[in-house]
Amino acid sequence: MLLATLFAPLVGALALLLVSRDAKKALKYTSLTVSVVAFLFGLATLLNFDHANPNMQMLTMQGWIPSLDAGFRIGVDGMSVLFIFLTALTIPVVILAGFDSIKSQEKEFYVLILLLEFGVIGIFAALDTFLFYVFFELILIPMYFLIGIWGGERKTFAALKFFIYTMFGSLVMLIGLIWLGYYVQQTTGHFTTNLLLLREIAPTIPLDTQKWMFFAFMLAFCIKVPLFPVHTWLPDVQSEAPLVGTVVVGAVLFKIGIYGLIRFGLEMFPQSSFEYAKVMCALGAAAVIYGAMLAIVQTDIRRLASFALVSSLGTMVMGVFSMTPEGVQGAIIQTFNHGLSVTGLFLCLGMLTERRGTTLLADYGGIAKVMPIFAVFFAISLFSLVGLPGLNGFVGEYLLLLGTFRSPFLNNWTFGILGATTGVFVAIYMLKLYNDICFGGFKNDDSASMSDLTTKELAMLIPATILMIWIGIYPSTFMRFSEESTKALVGKLEIAKFGKTNYTETLKKLHKAPAAESEAHETHKGH
Amino acid sequence: MLYDIFYSLPISLSSFFCLTAMLLGALVPKNRSNIVMPYATIGLAIVFTFAALLWGRNGTAFNSMITTGMYPSFFDMLFSASGILVMIAARPYLQRMNWEFDEFYILILFAVSGMILMAHANHLLIVFIGIEVMSISFYVLSAYMRNQILSVESGLKYFLLGAFSTGFLLYGMALVYGATGGKMEYSAIRAAVSYGAQMPSLLLAGTGLIIIGLSFKVSAFPFHVWSPDVYQGAPTIVTAFMSTGGKAAAFAAFIQLSSVLIPNGGPDSTKLTYLLAMLSAASMLYGNIAACAQQNVKRLLAYSSIAQAGYMMIGIVSGTGRGTSGIMFYLGAYLFTQIGAFIVVSALEHEYGKQLEFSDYAGLAKRHPLLAGVMSLFMFSLLGLPPFAIFFGKYYLFMAAIEAGYTWLALVGILASLISAYFYLGLIVAMYFRSHETGEIHAAQPGMSGVTIAIAVAGVIFLGLVPAAVLRITGVLM
């Protein structure tokens, strides 16, 4: 199932190459079908996943480059399976959004979107650092073209800024990856990129060495998140990228960063995580306040939304580095929520700009009168971001703050209090945004003639909205998937730091290094 | 003797084909002269096959004058492959320039045979003869379009500077000969150097001069000055050949000589390795920084090839088996990528030296989606993005550097890669994000060069996805 989810988009992208570029309908519907199929596979993966088991599941271990011990190793645990599901869920919406808004070079667009999906799912599924890196870099190419070809006026600049920023992070990470493999070579005798093996050995690296590797990885993921102060690519990309690109960045890309912080930060380098948790949380808190302050004064809708993203990502980073089950799970579910809300919000904003071609707040006002249905969906997305109880945002926000307050690692209420300010800020700028757009008189005569949502636009918004309400009311449908894995992770961290934990039950279920047997299996296959 | 001949078949065969091709060109009537090119191509294919067949026959031949076996066989295959790829693509280019003569193919054959001699050398004189045969062919090939001022200038520049650098090389060899007490054969020199030379300062000077001479051939900073002008002025198809096959041959000799003259634990090895590391770092940074300022695609690729030489030198610096096999992999990956990129450039070059500016590439994605797509693939590979071939070479070389304690060199490498993103992407920006503004538009006619491009694309993707296939070959050497 996992393999099918991973490869469906790639196969689809290759198949699309064969479709003639003039057959626009065929291009559109083939790509939509492919993405829906990938989503169904993703759903099947989720349903097949045994959530009581905190180990990696659905493993595929295949030898690839013997001299590096790199392999095609994929598998999922409770955290990554959720990430994969959401990605597969978002892409059909993105493709649907592209139907109207992409008017040139359609073929390239659909091929790139599917390639992007392939890369992102690959990142979450990879259990091999080499494979992980390949996927991590692979997504740069489609993102670069998405921004550069269909973007706004300063698209070249935005695309280049994005590319160089992320490439800088990932190259530093590459050195970290090689160094890590080399460290293993010194202790066990041979170089490896096997993540299952590395995460057994990496925590034993002395702090002096470990911290540098930790920095290398954190730099890459903080850029990807993006965390203050390396967030500056985001506003440019968000305001220059085409609508669909904005949704992809806002709903999919930053998940990679959060996922990386958990997988490569907490799991691989626990001692460094303890050591620098306060620094990371302080950066998170700074992001919360800084992002919010900037969001309040923006006059451009897209820039406002992107600073809002910077701000709420701050709370997620704090949740991750609180190293409590609530915090980590909150971060995961919040990326999920945030993806949904941001997709909804950006789709709404996109629909506005499609109609009017402007992203300046001053050009709108009184829209609720002419577009009542739009106003409802827009409100739901906004309130989910604000964290209104009953909608998904509340659940995530609550867990994040709870985790930050209760964290035995941080042992400090300041971070929780700073993080909690996000609730106030977000209400200020989001309600202001809603007020400026939907209420008041028309500030521009064109507003009067705007038409309400079309069926296609409804089809884009409804799935996301249903999920927002679902998670708001009954979050455990999704959260149970990540529960055991999170507890296992936190249990290990607590044992490393305090020597005791409340999650011994979960830890007992963990297998010790399944890598050893897979190793024998691989060498067998390799020859 | 019989064994000697048999094991050194790639050398003798390539020389044989050179001479017979020349005769063929002279004897066959002019109006039916298009036979030399197929003959030369088939000849190189035969050399390729024999190189593959002689794989694994490690040893020396002709009184230890030449080595046989895996290392030279790998390079033989590399050289003949680059010769074949270039010759296939050369015909449509030369015909468009209205300047197709048999001598072109014969010169390429000569260059290849010189390269093969370099890879097989186990003796200072043999390597010198190889370098000369190759370089002289290159001088002539650069000036091949003798009705074009740029080409003539490029040939002359290359010749003058090349002859000068050869002087350094030869002088260095003479000093080494003296310092080691009259040793010319590699293993004897290595033994003498490790044991401690009779005149250490002479040896050091000789080694330094040889490093300078070879750095010139691989176009490493600060001995790169010739390469942008020569690469720009020479016919594009020749540049494709010089910058891949020529560089590979120079590295084949460089790897051998550096392991001979700078053996691990030798008297000055730390100092000299440090010197090489500085050259490598400077080449990576200089090549990529200078390339950022270029508006001419050929010059851009020339500067980027300086940087690529810098990356490959990391392998020499590390001095380990992993480093060597990393360079060899890199050379293979670089061969496909660079030849592919230059052939795309040559397919777009409608008149000699025209249609080479960034502005000519604007909007290429709309006019020639396929060529633009392929060119971006080559650019991504040069940039070192996975899953394309060169990424893996970089990975391996950085690994070798970290292993050998040269982490700082790997860090310089990533910094240089980051800088290179600017101009490699710049070309993609031109092709995809801009539209054509001024000047007339000529449709490209790749013709047969499409075959070369297709092979190059296949190679770039194959080496990127299945690097183990080549590593199994180069890894044997570790």
Side-chain angles (χ1 to χ4, degrees), chain A residues 64-65 67-68 130 133 137 141 144-145 148-149 156 160 163-164 167-168 171 174 178 182 185 193, chain B residues 322 380 383 385-387 391-392 395-396 399 403 410 414 418 422 425 428-429 432-433 465 467-468 471:
Chain A
W64 184 16
I65 308 166
S67 61
L68 297 182
F130 188 80
Y133 189 78
E137 291 284 79
I141 299 174
Y144 178 69
F145 282 115
I149 299 183
T156 315
L160 192 67
F163 198 99
I164 290 188
M167 194 174 161
F168 174 61
L171 282 172
L174 179 65
I178 299 176
Y182 175 60
Q185 182 181 348
T193 58
Chain B
R322 185 165 266 156
F380 283 131
L383 177 54
L385 277 195
F391 160 68
F392 192 75
Y395 187 99
Y396 225 65
M399 211 166 120
E403 209 175 26
I414 64 163
L418 196 68
Y422 178 77
L425 292 180
I428 294 172
V429 166
Y432 279 89
F433 309 162
L465 291 180
L471 281 177

Short mmCIF file of all heavy atoms in Angstrom, two decimals, chain A residues 64-65 67-68 130 133 137 141 144-145 148-149 156 160 163-164 167-168 171 174 178 182 185 193, chain B residues 322 380 383 385-387 391-392 395-396 399 403 410 414 418 422 425 428-429 432-433 465 467-468 471:
data_model
loop_
_atom_site.label_atom_id
_atom_site.label_comp_id
_atom_site.label_asym_id
_atom_site.label_seq_id
_atom_site.Cartn_x
_atom_site.Cartn_y
_atom_site.Cartn_z
N TRP A 64 20.61 -0.97 -2.53
CA TRP A 64 20.69 -0.01 -3.63
C TRP A 64 22.15 0.26 -3.97
O TRP A 64 22.61 -0.07 -5.07
CB TRP A 64 19.94 1.26 -3.24
CG TRP A 64 19.85 2.30 -4.30
CD1 TRP A 64 20.08 2.14 -5.64
CD2 TRP A 64 19.48 3.66 -4.12
NE1 TRP A 64 19.88 3.32 -6.30
CE2 TRP A 64 19.51 4.28 -5.39
CE3 TRP A 64 19.13 4.44 -3.01
CZ2 TRP A 64 19.21 5.61 -5.58
CZ3 TRP A 64 18.82 5.77 -3.20
CH2 TRP A 64 18.86 6.36 -4.48
N ILE A 65 22.88 0.87 -3.04
CA ILE A 65 24.27 1.20 -3.31
C ILE A 65 25.11 0.52 -2.23
O ILE A 65 25.28 1.06 -1.14
CB ILE A 65 24.50 2.71 -3.27
CG1 ILE A 65 23.49 3.40 -4.17
CG2 ILE A 65 25.91 3.05 -3.70
CD1 ILE A 65 23.41 4.87 -3.94
N SER A 67 28.18 0.07 -1.51
CA SER A 67 29.36 0.66 -0.89
C SER A 67 29.01 1.71 0.16
O SER A 67 29.84 2.07 0.97
CB SER A 67 30.28 1.26 -1.96
OG SER A 67 29.59 2.26 -2.63
N LEU A 68 27.80 2.24 0.12
CA LEU A 68 27.38 3.19 1.14
C LEU A 68 26.45 2.53 2.12
O LEU A 68 26.03 3.15 3.09
CB LEU A 68 26.59 4.34 0.52
CG LEU A 68 27.24 5.25 -0.47
CD1 LEU A 68 26.26 6.31 -0.87
CD2 LEU A 68 28.42 5.89 0.19
N PHE A 130 20.15 8.50 2.80
CA PHE A 130 20.49 8.84 1.41
C PHE A 130 19.22 9.04 0.59
O PHE A 130 19.06 10.03 -0.13
CB PHE A 130 21.35 7.73 0.80
CG PHE A 130 21.89 8.06 -0.54
CD1 PHE A 130 23.01 8.86 -0.66
CD2 PHE A 130 21.29 7.59 -1.69
CE1 PHE A 130 23.51 9.18 -1.91
CE2 PHE A 130 21.79 7.91 -2.94
CZ PHE A 130 22.90 8.71 -3.04
N TYR A 133 17.53 12.19 1.53
CA TYR A 133 18.13 13.37 0.94
C TYR A 133 17.74 13.52 -0.53
O TYR A 133 17.49 14.63 -1.02
CB TYR A 133 19.66 13.32 1.08
CG TYR A 133 20.30 14.61 0.67
CD1 TYR A 133 20.30 15.69 1.53
CD2 TYR A 133 20.87 14.75 -0.58
CE1 TYR A 133 20.85 16.88 1.15
CE2 TYR A 133 21.44 15.95 -0.96
CZ TYR A 133 21.42 17.02 -0.09
OH TYR A 133 21.95 18.21 -0.47
N GLU A 137 15.78 16.87 -1.86
CA GLU A 137 16.24 17.77 -2.91
C GLU A 137 15.33 17.72 -4.13
O GLU A 137 15.19 18.70 -4.85
CB GLU A 137 17.66 17.39 -3.34
CG GLU A 137 18.71 17.66 -2.30
CD GLU A 137 19.07 19.12 -2.19
OE1 GLU A 137 18.27 19.84 -1.56
OE2 GLU A 137 20.10 19.53 -2.71
N ILE A 141 13.05 21.01 -7.30
CA ILE A 141 12.90 21.25 -8.73
C ILE A 141 11.46 21.63 -9.08
O ILE A 141 11.24 22.69 -9.67
CB ILE A 141 13.41 20.03 -9.53
CG1 ILE A 141 14.88 19.81 -9.23
CG2 ILE A 141 13.18 20.22 -11.01
CD1 ILE A 141 15.45 18.56 -9.84
N TYR A 144 10.62 25.06 -7.62
CA TYR A 144 11.29 26.14 -8.33
C TYR A 144 10.51 26.53 -9.58
O TYR A 144 10.25 27.71 -9.84
CB TYR A 144 12.70 25.68 -8.67
CG TYR A 144 13.50 26.69 -9.44
CD1 TYR A 144 13.92 27.85 -8.85
CD2 TYR A 144 13.82 26.46 -10.77
CE1 TYR A 144 14.64 28.78 -9.55
CE2 TYR A 144 14.55 27.38 -11.48
CZ TYR A 144 14.95 28.54 -10.87
OH TYR A 144 15.67 29.46 -11.57
N PHE A 145 10.12 25.52 -10.34
CA PHE A 145 9.39 25.81 -11.57
C PHE A 145 7.99 26.35 -11.27
O PHE A 145 7.49 27.23 -11.98
CB PHE A 145 9.30 24.57 -12.45
CG PHE A 145 10.57 24.29 -13.19
CD1 PHE A 145 11.30 23.15 -12.93
CD2 PHE A 145 11.03 25.16 -14.14
CE1 PHE A 145 12.48 22.90 -13.61
CE2 PHE A 145 12.21 24.93 -14.83
CZ PHE A 145 12.93 23.79 -14.56
N GLY A 148 8.51 29.86 -10.45
CA GLY A 148 9.14 30.63 -11.51
C GLY A 148 8.29 30.76 -12.77
O GLY A 148 8.32 31.79 -13.43
N ILE A 149 7.55 29.73 -13.13
CA ILE A 149 6.81 29.82 -14.39
C ILE A 149 5.48 30.54 -14.21
O ILE A 149 5.12 31.40 -14.99
CB ILE A 149 6.56 28.41 -14.99
CG1 ILE A 149 7.89 27.72 -15.28
CG2 ILE A 149 5.74 28.52 -16.27
CD1 ILE A 149 7.74 26.38 -15.94
N THR A 156 11.02 35.48 -10.59
CA THR A 156 12.37 34.95 -10.72
C THR A 156 13.14 35.13 -9.43
O THR A 156 13.81 34.21 -8.95
CB THR A 156 13.11 35.69 -11.84
OG1 THR A 156 12.24 35.78 -12.95
CG2 THR A 156 14.35 34.96 -12.23
N LEU A 160 14.40 32.09 -7.02
CA LEU A 160 15.83 31.93 -6.72
C LEU A 160 16.07 31.99 -5.22
O LEU A 160 16.84 31.21 -4.67
CB LEU A 160 16.61 33.03 -7.44
CG LEU A 160 18.12 32.80 -7.45
CD1 LEU A 160 18.43 31.59 -8.30
CD2 LEU A 160 18.85 34.01 -7.99
N PHE A 163 15.07 28.77 -3.70
CA PHE A 163 15.97 27.67 -4.06
C PHE A 163 17.27 27.76 -3.27
O PHE A 163 17.73 26.79 -2.67
CB PHE A 163 16.27 27.72 -5.56
CG PHE A 163 16.81 26.44 -6.12
CD1 PHE A 163 15.98 25.57 -6.78
CD2 PHE A 163 18.14 26.11 -5.97
CE1 PHE A 163 16.46 24.38 -7.29
CE2 PHE A 163 18.63 24.92 -6.47
CZ PHE A 163 17.79 24.06 -7.14
N ILE A 164 17.87 28.95 -3.26
CA ILE A 164 19.17 29.08 -2.62
C ILE A 164 19.05 28.91 -1.11
O ILE A 164 19.86 28.24 -0.48
CB ILE A 164 19.84 30.41 -3.01
CG1 ILE A 164 20.22 30.31 -4.49
CG2 ILE A 164 21.05 30.70 -2.16
CD1 ILE A 164 21.03 31.44 -5.01
N MET A 167 18.46 25.21 -0.52
CA MET A 167 19.61 24.40 -0.90
C MET A 167 20.75 24.59 0.11
O MET A 167 21.46 23.63 0.42
CB MET A 167 20.09 24.78 -2.29
CG MET A 167 21.02 23.74 -2.83
SD MET A 167 21.45 24.07 -4.51
CE MET A 167 22.91 23.07 -4.65
N PHE A 168 20.88 25.79 0.62
CA PHE A 168 21.91 26.02 1.63
C PHE A 168 21.68 25.09 2.82
O PHE A 168 22.58 24.37 3.25
CB PHE A 168 21.86 27.48 2.09
CG PHE A 168 22.78 27.78 3.23
CD1 PHE A 168 24.15 27.59 3.09
CD2 PHE A 168 22.30 28.21 4.46
CE1 PHE A 168 25.01 27.85 4.14
CE2 PHE A 168 23.15 28.48 5.51
CZ PHE A 168 24.51 28.29 5.35
N LEU A 171 22.35 21.42 1.89
CA LEU A 171 23.76 21.05 1.71
C LEU A 171 24.46 20.90 3.05
O LEU A 171 25.26 19.98 3.25
CB LEU A 171 24.48 22.10 0.86
CG LEU A 171 24.22 21.99 -0.64
CD1 LEU A 171 24.80 23.18 -1.36
CD2 LEU A 171 24.81 20.72 -1.18
N LEU A 174 23.55 17.72 4.29
CA LEU A 174 24.26 16.64 3.60
C LEU A 174 25.56 16.32 4.32
O LEU A 174 25.91 15.16 4.54
CB LEU A 174 24.53 17.03 2.15
CG LEU A 174 25.29 16.02 1.31
CD1 LEU A 174 24.47 14.76 1.14
CD2 LEU A 174 25.63 16.58 -0.05
N ILE A 178 26.57 12.74 6.02
CA ILE A 178 27.78 11.97 5.72
C ILE A 178 28.59 11.77 6.99
O ILE A 178 29.09 10.69 7.28
CB ILE A 178 28.63 12.68 4.64
CG1 ILE A 178 27.84 12.80 3.35
CG2 ILE A 178 29.91 11.92 4.39
CD1 ILE A 178 28.55 13.56 2.27
N TYR A 182 29.72 8.41 8.74
CA TYR A 182 31.14 8.17 8.98
C TYR A 182 31.39 7.85 10.44
O TYR A 182 32.22 7.00 10.78
CB TYR A 182 31.93 9.41 8.54
CG TYR A 182 33.39 9.33 8.84
CD1 TYR A 182 34.16 8.31 8.30
CD2 TYR A 182 34.00 10.25 9.68
CE1 TYR A 182 35.51 8.22 8.58
CE2 TYR A 182 35.34 10.16 9.96
CZ TYR A 182 36.09 9.14 9.42
OH TYR A 182 37.41 9.04 9.70
N GLN A 185 30.69 4.42 10.91
CA GLN A 185 31.78 3.63 10.33
C GLN A 185 32.92 3.45 11.35
O GLN A 185 33.51 2.40 11.46
CB GLN A 185 32.31 4.31 9.07
CG GLN A 185 33.42 3.52 8.38
CD GLN A 185 33.93 4.23 7.15
OE1 GLN A 185 33.34 5.18 6.68
NE2 GLN A 185 35.02 3.75 6.61
N THR A 193 23.71 4.31 5.79
CA THR A 193 22.71 5.37 5.74
C THR A 193 21.38 4.82 6.22
O THR A 193 20.34 5.43 6.01
CB THR A 193 22.56 5.91 4.31
OG1 THR A 193 22.19 4.82 3.47
CG2 THR A 193 23.82 6.54 3.81
N ARG B 322 38.48 5.44 -1.70
CA ARG B 322 37.16 6.02 -1.90
C ARG B 322 37.26 7.29 -2.72
O ARG B 322 36.43 7.56 -3.58
CB ARG B 322 36.53 6.28 -0.54
CG ARG B 322 35.12 6.76 -0.63
CD ARG B 322 34.41 6.65 0.71
NE ARG B 322 33.68 5.42 0.82
CZ ARG B 322 33.36 4.84 1.99
NH1 ARG B 322 33.77 5.36 3.10
NH2 ARG B 322 32.66 3.73 2.00
N PHE B 380 20.74 20.77 -13.71
CA PHE B 380 20.49 20.24 -12.36
C PHE B 380 21.55 19.22 -11.99
O PHE B 380 21.95 19.12 -10.84
CB PHE B 380 19.09 19.62 -12.28
CG PHE B 380 17.99 20.63 -12.17
CD1 PHE B 380 16.88 20.55 -12.98
CD2 PHE B 380 18.07 21.66 -11.25
CE1 PHE B 380 15.86 21.49 -12.89
CE2 PHE B 380 17.06 22.60 -11.15
CZ PHE B 380 15.95 22.51 -11.97
N LEU B 383 24.66 21.04 -11.10
CA LEU B 383 24.46 21.68 -9.80
C LEU B 383 24.58 20.66 -8.68
O LEU B 383 24.83 21.02 -7.54
CB LEU B 383 23.07 22.33 -9.80
CG LEU B 383 22.55 23.02 -8.56
CD1 LEU B 383 23.53 24.04 -8.07
CD2 LEU B 383 21.24 23.70 -8.88
N LEU B 385 22.17 18.14 -7.99
CA LEU B 385 20.90 17.77 -7.35
C LEU B 385 20.64 16.30 -7.60
O LEU B 385 20.85 15.81 -8.70
CB LEU B 385 19.75 18.57 -7.97
CG LEU B 385 19.47 19.96 -7.47
CD1 LEU B 385 18.11 20.40 -7.95
CD2 LEU B 385 19.54 20.05 -5.98
N PRO B 386 20.17 15.58 -6.58
CA PRO B 386 19.73 14.23 -6.84
C PRO B 386 18.41 14.27 -7.61
O PRO B 386 17.71 15.28 -7.51
CB PRO B 386 19.51 13.65 -5.45
CG PRO B 386 19.25 14.81 -4.58
CD PRO B 386 19.98 15.96 -5.19
N PRO B 387 18.00 13.30 -8.34
CA PRO B 387 18.67 12.01 -8.53
C PRO B 387 19.56 11.98 -9.78
O PRO B 387 19.58 10.98 -10.46
CB PRO B 387 17.48 11.08 -8.69
CG PRO B 387 16.46 11.91 -9.42
CD PRO B 387 16.72 13.34 -9.04
N PHE B 391 25.34 14.41 -8.66
CA PHE B 391 25.06 14.46 -7.22
C PHE B 391 25.80 13.34 -6.51
O PHE B 391 26.45 13.55 -5.49
CB PHE B 391 23.57 14.33 -6.94
CG PHE B 391 23.29 13.90 -5.52
CD1 PHE B 391 23.57 14.75 -4.48
CD2 PHE B 391 22.80 12.64 -5.24
CE1 PHE B 391 23.34 14.36 -3.17
CE2 PHE B 391 22.58 12.23 -3.93
CZ PHE B 391 22.85 13.10 -2.90
N PHE B 392 25.71 12.16 -7.07
CA PHE B 392 26.29 11.03 -6.37
C PHE B 392 27.81 11.15 -6.31
O PHE B 392 28.43 10.82 -5.30
CB PHE B 392 25.87 9.72 -7.01
CG PHE B 392 26.23 8.59 -6.13
CD1 PHE B 392 25.50 8.34 -5.00
CD2 PHE B 392 27.36 7.84 -6.38
CE1 PHE B 392 25.86 7.35 -4.14
CE2 PHE B 392 27.73 6.84 -5.52
CZ PHE B 392 26.98 6.58 -4.39
N TYR B 395 28.56 13.48 -3.54
CA TYR B 395 28.32 12.79 -2.27
C TYR B 395 29.54 11.96 -1.91
O TYR B 395 30.06 12.01 -0.80
CB TYR B 395 27.09 11.90 -2.40
CG TYR B 395 26.62 11.26 -1.13
CD1 TYR B 395 25.56 11.80 -0.41
CD2 TYR B 395 27.20 10.10 -0.64
CE1 TYR B 395 25.11 11.21 0.76
CE2 TYR B 395 26.75 9.50 0.52
CZ TYR B 395 25.71 10.07 1.21
OH TYR B 395 25.27 9.47 2.36
N TYR B 396 30.01 11.21 -2.88
CA TYR B 396 31.13 10.30 -2.64
C TYR B 396 32.41 11.07 -2.33
O TYR B 396 33.18 10.68 -1.45
CB TYR B 396 31.31 9.45 -3.90
CG TYR B 396 31.53 8.00 -3.58
CD1 TYR B 396 30.53 7.25 -3.00
CD2 TYR B 396 32.73 7.38 -3.87
CE1 TYR B 396 30.73 5.91 -2.71
CE2 TYR B 396 32.94 6.05 -3.58
CZ TYR B 396 31.93 5.32 -3.01
OH TYR B 396 32.13 4.00 -2.72
N MET B 399 32.28 12.58 1.03
CA MET B 399 32.48 11.49 1.98
C MET B 399 33.97 11.21 2.14
O MET B 399 34.48 11.06 3.25
CB MET B 399 31.78 10.26 1.41
CG MET B 399 31.24 9.32 2.41
SD MET B 399 30.13 8.23 1.51
CE MET B 399 30.91 6.70 1.84
N GLU B 403 36.21 11.65 5.50
CA GLU B 403 36.93 10.49 5.98
C GLU B 403 38.42 10.81 6.17
O GLU B 403 39.04 10.35 7.12
CB GLU B 403 36.79 9.39 4.93
CG GLU B 403 36.84 8.00 5.46
CD GLU B 403 36.57 7.02 4.33
OE1 GLU B 403 36.81 7.36 3.15
OE2 GLU B 403 36.10 5.94 4.63
N ALA B 410 35.11 19.88 2.34
CA ALA B 410 33.72 19.56 2.00
C ALA B 410 32.82 20.76 2.22
O ALA B 410 31.90 21.02 1.44
CB ALA B 410 33.25 18.37 2.83
N ILE B 414 30.39 22.70 -0.45
CA ILE B 414 28.96 23.01 -0.44
C ILE B 414 28.72 24.49 -0.63
O ILE B 414 27.76 24.89 -1.29
CB ILE B 414 28.24 22.52 0.84
CG1 ILE B 414 28.75 23.21 2.07
CG2 ILE B 414 28.34 21.02 0.99
CD1 ILE B 414 27.81 23.04 3.22
N LEU B 418 26.52 26.09 -3.63
CA LEU B 418 25.44 27.04 -3.40
C LEU B 418 25.58 28.22 -4.36
O LEU B 418 24.60 28.68 -4.94
CB LEU B 418 25.53 27.52 -1.96
CG LEU B 418 24.29 28.22 -1.46
CD1 LEU B 418 23.16 27.22 -1.36
CD2 LEU B 418 24.55 28.84 -0.12
N TYR B 422 23.27 29.86 -8.56
CA TYR B 422 22.87 31.12 -9.17
C TYR B 422 22.91 31.06 -10.70
O TYR B 422 21.96 31.41 -11.38
CB TYR B 422 23.74 32.26 -8.65
CG TYR B 422 23.41 33.58 -9.28
CD1 TYR B 422 22.29 34.28 -8.88
CD2 TYR B 422 24.18 34.09 -10.32
CE1 TYR B 422 21.95 35.47 -9.47
CE2 TYR B 422 23.85 35.29 -10.91
CZ TYR B 422 22.73 35.98 -10.48
OH TYR B 422 22.39 37.15 -11.08
N LEU B 425 20.89 27.97 -12.43
CA LEU B 425 19.48 28.31 -12.46
C LEU B 425 19.23 29.49 -13.38
O LEU B 425 18.17 29.61 -13.98
CB LEU B 425 18.98 28.64 -11.06
CG LEU B 425 18.94 27.46 -10.09
CD1 LEU B 425 18.43 27.92 -8.75
CD2 LEU B 425 18.05 26.36 -10.61
N ILE B 428 18.28 28.36 -16.61
CA ILE B 428 16.91 27.84 -16.60
C ILE B 428 15.92 28.99 -16.55
O ILE B 428 14.87 28.94 -17.22
CB ILE B 428 16.74 26.88 -15.40
CG1 ILE B 428 17.62 25.65 -15.61
CG2 ILE B 428 15.29 26.47 -15.23
CD1 ILE B 428 17.70 24.72 -14.45
N VAL B 429 16.27 30.02 -15.79
CA VAL B 429 15.41 31.21 -15.75
C VAL B 429 15.22 31.74 -17.17
O VAL B 429 14.11 32.01 -17.61
CB VAL B 429 16.02 32.30 -14.85
CG1 VAL B 429 15.34 33.63 -15.08
CG2 VAL B 429 15.92 31.90 -13.40
N TYR B 432 13.03 29.25 -19.27
CA TYR B 432 11.65 29.01 -18.87
C TYR B 432 10.87 30.25 -18.48
O TYR B 432 9.67 30.33 -18.72
CB TYR B 432 11.61 28.01 -17.71
CG TYR B 432 11.73 26.59 -18.16
CD1 TYR B 432 12.96 25.99 -18.30
CD2 TYR B 432 10.61 25.85 -18.49
CE1 TYR B 432 13.09 24.70 -18.75
CE2 TYR B 432 10.71 24.54 -18.93
CZ TYR B 432 11.96 23.97 -19.05
OH TYR B 432 12.06 22.70 -19.50
N PHE B 433 11.55 31.20 -17.81
CA PHE B 433 10.77 32.29 -17.21
C PHE B 433 10.80 33.56 -18.06
O PHE B 433 10.14 34.52 -17.73
CB PHE B 433 11.27 32.62 -15.80
CG PHE B 433 11.39 31.43 -14.89
CD1 PHE B 433 12.14 31.48 -13.74
CD2 PHE B 433 10.72 30.25 -15.18
CE1 PHE B 433 12.24 30.39 -12.91
CE2 PHE B 433 10.81 29.15 -14.35
CZ PHE B 433 11.58 29.22 -13.21
N LEU B 465 20.50 7.08 -10.71
CA LEU B 465 19.61 6.14 -10.00
C LEU B 465 20.33 4.87 -9.60
O LEU B 465 20.03 4.28 -8.58
CB LEU B 465 18.41 5.79 -10.88
CG LEU B 465 17.41 6.92 -11.11
CD1 LEU B 465 16.27 6.45 -11.98
CD2 LEU B 465 16.86 7.42 -9.79
N PRO B 467 23.89 4.25 -9.18
CA PRO B 467 25.34 4.50 -9.14
C PRO B 467 26.13 3.23 -8.84
O PRO B 467 27.29 3.11 -9.20
CB PRO B 467 25.50 5.52 -8.02
CG PRO B 467 24.28 5.42 -7.21
CD PRO B 467 23.20 4.98 -8.13
N ALA B 468 25.46 2.27 -8.21
CA ALA B 468 26.17 1.05 -7.84
C ALA B 468 26.75 0.35 -9.07
O ALA B 468 27.79 -0.31 -8.98
CB ALA B 468 25.23 0.11 -7.10
N LEU B 471 29.97 2.06 -9.53
CA LEU B 471 30.81 1.94 -8.34
C LEU B 471 31.35 0.53 -8.21
O LEU B 471 32.43 0.33 -7.67
CB LEU B 471 29.99 2.28 -7.10
CG LEU B 471 29.82 3.76 -6.89
CD1 LEU B 471 28.94 3.99 -5.69
CD2 LEU B 471 31.16 4.42 -6.67
#
